[in-house]
Amino acid sequence: MSTELTPEPDFTDLDTYLDEAGADGYLVDADGSSSTQRYLSGFDAPDPFITIYTPEKTALLVSALEYGRAQTESRADSVSRLADYDYRSIVSEYNATTAKARVTAKWLQEHDVKCVVTPERFPLGPADTLREHDLSVSAEADDIVTTIRAQKTETEIEHIRDAQAANEAAMETAAKLINSATVDDEILYYDDEILTSERIKQAIETTLLQHECALDETIVACGSDAADPHNRGHGPIYADEPIVVDIFPRSKQTHYHADMTRTFLRGTPDETLINWFELTQNALTTAIDAIEPGVTGQYIHDIVCDIYENAGISTLRSDPTAETGFIHSTGHGVGLDVHELPRVSPDGGKLKPGHVITVEPGIYDPTVGGLRIENLVVVTDSGVENLTTYPITPLGT
Amino acid sequence: MSTELTPEPDFTDLDTYLDEAGADGYLVDADGSSSTQRYLSGFDAPDPFITIYTPEKTALLVSALEYGRAQTESRADSVSRLADYDYRSIVSEYNATTAKARVTAKWLQEHDVKCVVTPERFPLGPADTLREHDLSVSAEADDIVTTIRAQKTETEIEHIRDAQAANEAAMETAAKLINSATVDDEILYYDDEILTSERIKQAIETTLLQHECALDETIVACGSDAADPHNRGHGPIYADEPIVVDIFPRSKQTHYHADMTRTFLRGTPDETLINWFELTQNALTTAIDAIEPGVTGQYIHDIVCDIYENAGISTLRSDPTAETGFIHSTGHGVGLDVHELPRVSPDGGKLKPGHVITVEPGIYDPTVGGLRIENLVVVTDSGVENLTTYPITPLGT
């Protein structure tokens, strides 16, 4: 690997935050589908469990069912069971959710934790029960853990590379369907049936499954669908119109994501589309070349806006009410969440080594269609490394 | 349809609950992956949005991006935008999450809502901001909405039937792989490659995708894996050993689930397994035949325990520390969540028309293997209707 990143997350900023807030620890009550829970605990379980992070140690409180696995799989220094705290008899007096919170209070007191900070979306019911037991509980809205999560370790980047490899195989599946389709009366056919957005999405998702990745949604949007960046696409694929394919799979094993967009076109693109494609490819390359530690996400976004505006394309920067042109941000962080920090947008802060971000310029206009090209890159100690090897080929065949 | 159920959910119990609690409404702040949010709002969006239910009306507060779709797709009587409440300028003063909660406070006041009940896992940050703005916010731990959700309407049961049709197609895919495999040295082969749990799961998930269903996990567990009801299964499939296949897909469109288990075996089952299979099939049939409105989930669970215990099989009822025998509950509700109310377990309450439940007796012992048979049924006005048409075939080929 050319990147030189830390093998383990660095929680120094969290320690400083807790110290300044006068808090003993950071408390999470969530199941493994919560990225912050997964990140802090190093553990995945289908039902909510409790993690307390303190500068000295990380401890977990889990059900008996998860106890053995939590001891071997999590990153916790200590694991406790609800049953260790007389859980069953408390349940019979209260209900299960209140009982769990009462046990959490006892367990925190045993760990000398009296004052905790939590994620903004920590559950209210348990929080109120903890407060009734003289614990100080306050939700933070400062992105403290998500900011740490944004800087990936070498291991995390390997997980993202693996998801991206699956993503590229899926993109190739889509490209093959589109490129080997026959065209009849402006409509694409494959195996004598109309090639639809739905068929391509199913082929993409099947390929991802074969690579142990999953996703609930994929964008395969043609024609006027492609002109709306939020449209998932539906119905027949037409010749001479751009087809936006945006795939953002999650590894079933590691839960890390990848993200990539390509725009295809069967037939002959009109002059405007050819210009837009070249402009967008130029915006992509120029923006990526400018990425290095210390520059801001805003600066990278401005580069893309400059290129578009100089070519007469409207952007949300030049016109906040624009409905055509470049009408979204340049990119976003990718990790355990498919959209996470840092921002590559008007309010994007400084980029740091280990930030994995998308760069995805695009132009949209219902009278012409839409196109977008998106690569996934990682900020390195000295600049940037492209995590995307899938080619960008000119429109039209 | 033979069931005669209401076409719309009945919120009378929620109205009574709010009245008794002295609350004006039930407040939800969650994205569409929350089943309670989806149920009350009738809306799905990838980012959190706000729903207030009052006995008079249901209102939504959404981002500009979701505004048009919320007006046409949701069940709300009124839809507001964050932007209608000066959101942008509040964001510039605070951060996005605090700003959203401040707007929510204004919006609730405009709807004459001063006191709300929320789900137990309502987010703490917004709750505290609402409280600072003189709203009374309390989390309920009484399963009030999940209890209403347990009684399905005719439309909801149709959605579950659709998911079950996909489930049966997927089970057939698994059965064909197992039944057409060749056996060499006790190991199953398909297309000259070892037939593994992973290959069967991939085939199941591909079939589900073709039927517009998704799932993240499937159980295909053979031999000692099958003897642990929580084991997802891995590695080669062996002859003469039971193979537990448990599939619980979610419709990508409606988000309703189905759930079914079958146990297969290639070769010759030993005498114990044959007895266990007959016993389990008898427990399944007897339990389902006893289902009707008014009987309790506990009663159904006791029927299964009686049959097993009378045959000398240990259960958690006869021995709470049992590690072999029938070591889980008889079943659970199925709907927007794959595990929801009602319980068919030692603490299961009265069954009501519209309850969709699994009945899934099974026996587990690492020295023999494990087996389970699971059907999905709906409680009707007069009794029970089986939603499962997939056959139960004796072990061995």
Side-chain angles (χ1 to χ4, degrees), chain A residues 14-311:
Chain A
L14 180 54
D15 295 350
T16 306
Y17 186 90
L18 292 172
D19 185 48
E20 286 171 1
D24 303 313
Y26 195 87
L27 184 70
V28 182
D29 174 344
D31 64 35
S33 70
S34 151
S35 297
T36 290
Q37 176 64 290
R38 185 179 279 264
Y39 189 76
L40 282 182
S41 68
F43 190 56
D44 182 19
D47 294 313
F49 59 96
I50 316 286
T51 300
I52 182 75
Y53 169 92
T54 72
E56 293 75 36
K57 66 180 170 190
T58 300
L60 260 59
L61 178 64
V62 302
S63 70
L65 184 64
E66 306 292 358
Y67 183 60
R69 212 164 52 81
Q71 285 179 304
T72 54
E73 294 179 12
S74 80
R75 75 161 93 227
D77 303 294
S78 88
V79 179
S80 304
R81 274 171 297 203
L82 291 169
D84 298 336
Y85 296 82
D86 212 17
Y87 176 64
R88 273 287 142 207
S89 77
I90 304 176
V91 168
S92 63
E93 198 170 337
Y94 303 89
N95 55 43
T97 51
T98 307
K100 194 171 161 188
R102 293 177 77 98
V103 164
T104 304
K106 272 204 237 178
W107 173 76
L108 287 173
Q109 279 149 7
E110 212 175 88
H111 281 84
D112 284 327
V113 171
K114 293 178 186 71
C115 173
V116 295
V117 171
T118 73
E120 198 244 346
R121 299 186 75 81
F122 188 90
L124 177 62
D128 279 345
T129 302
L130 293 177
R131 285 169 173 173
E132 284 162 19
H133 286 76
D134 296 327
L135 275 128
S136 163
V137 182
S138 54
E140 57 107 349
D142 299 310
D143 290 328
I144 179 66
V145 174
T146 44
T147 299
I148 295 170
R149 253 174 55 201
Q151 275 191 276
K152 272 72 182 175
T153 64
E154 283 193 13
T155 308
E156 292 179 289
I157 290 171
E158 277 310 302
H159 295 334
I160 293 170
R161 280 180 205 276
D162 290 344
Q164 177 60 14
N167 202 355
E168 302 203 357
M171 188 63 80
E172 186 57 19
T173 299
K176 277 188 180 155
L177 281 176
I178 293 167
N179 292 330
S180 59
T182 54
V183 178
D184 185 17
D185 201 16
E186 303 286 292
I187 292 177
L188 268 62
Y189 287 79
Y190 188 84
D191 273 351
D192 296 330
E193 276 182 50
I194 291 178
L195 185 61
T196 59
S197 168
E198 289 81 356
R199 274 185 83 190
I200 297 173
K201 285 191 244 188
Q202 203 167 88
I204 287 169
E205 293 177 27
T206 303
T207 303
L208 290 176
L209 265 184
Q210 287 159 356
H211 288 79
E212 290 169 32
C213 281
L215 83 179
D216 265 0
E217 295 201 279
T218 315
I219 296 175
V220 178
C222 177
S224 61
D225 283 356
D228 172 0
H230 301 109
N231 196 315
R232 305 306 193 193
H234 72 289
I237 302 295
Y238 296 96
D240 306 332
E241 296 196 7
I243 309 151
V244 172
V245 181
D246 187 348
I247 315 178
F248 34 97
R250 170 173 56 79
S251 159
K252 287 180 152 203
Q253 202 207 329
T254 70
H255 277 233
Y256 282 85
H257 290 80
D259 197 352
M260 173 171 62
T261 306
R262 290 292 181 264
T263 302
F264 300 95
L265 185 144
R266 276 300 300 278
T268 313
D270 71 21
E271 205 57 38
T272 308
L273 279 171
I274 293 174
N275 288 339
W276 283 6
F277 192 86
E278 285 170 5
L279 199 57
T280 299
Q281 197 168 2
N282 181 32
L284 178 81
T285 311
T286 310
I288 291 177
D289 286 348
I291 292 171
E292 60 179 1
V295 306
T296 63
Q298 181 189 8
Y299 175 75
I300 302 301
H301 180 65
D302 280 338
I303 288 173
V304 172
C305 291
D306 286 343
I307 290 173
Y308 279 139
E309 288 169 21
N310 288 339

